[in-house]
């Protein structure tokens, strides 16, 4: 997580998912100069994921509207660099062979 600040493009967004047991620090002037956005998201437990999968299998949750783009696996290298600049991208489905 500490090194991730150096991997984000100018004006980019860094999202931390899960927990880190230590403390994080960053060079604030560099953070501002590069106009970064920092976000955090808490990860679910195994039990949470199993409950969601069960609901999806039962058809209790319609998530088809979340899938905004679909690509074949052999297209990933071509399209991946451009997904962050496309409007309306929510979830991308990659069809495995």
């Amino acid at each position: 997580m500490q090194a991730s600040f150096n991997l984000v493009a100018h004006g980019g967004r860094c999202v931390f998912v899960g927990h880190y047991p230590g403390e994080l620090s960053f060079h604030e002037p560099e953070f501002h100069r590069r106009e970064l956005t920092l976000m955090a998201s808490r990860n679910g437990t195994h039990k949470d994921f199993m409950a969601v999968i069960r609901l999806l299998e039962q058809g209790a949750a319609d998530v088809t509207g979340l899938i905004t783009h679909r690509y074949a696996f052999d297209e990933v290298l071509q399209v991946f660099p451009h997904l962050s600049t496309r409007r309306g991208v929510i979830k991308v489905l990659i069809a495995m062979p």
Side-chain angles (χ1 to χ4, degrees), residues 3 5 8 10 12 24-26 29 34 41-43 47 49 53 56 60-61 69 73 79 83 92-93 95-96:
F5 288 98
V8 182
H10 180 88
L24 295 171
S25 63
F26 57 92
R34 294 179 53 211
S41 177
R42 189 173 55 103
N43 205 356
K47 184 178 175 182
F49 284 108
I53 290 170
L56 292 172
H69 295 74
F73 181 71
V79 300
L83 288 176
V92 177
L93 181 74
M96 303 302 283

Side-chain angles (χ1 to χ4, degrees), residues 10 16 20 42 44-46 48 50 53 68 77 84 90 97:
H10 180 88
F16 289 158
Y20 175 71
R42 189 173 55 103
T45 65
H46 181 267
D48 296 332
M50 295 311 295
I53 290 170
T68 57
L77 291 178
S84 66
I90 297 174

Side-chain angles (χ1 to χ4, degrees), residues 18-32:
H19 297 279
Y20 175 71
E23 292 191 25
L24 295 171
S25 63
F26 57 92
H27 189 248
E28 199 280 333
E30 180 68 10
F31 180 79
H32 262 91

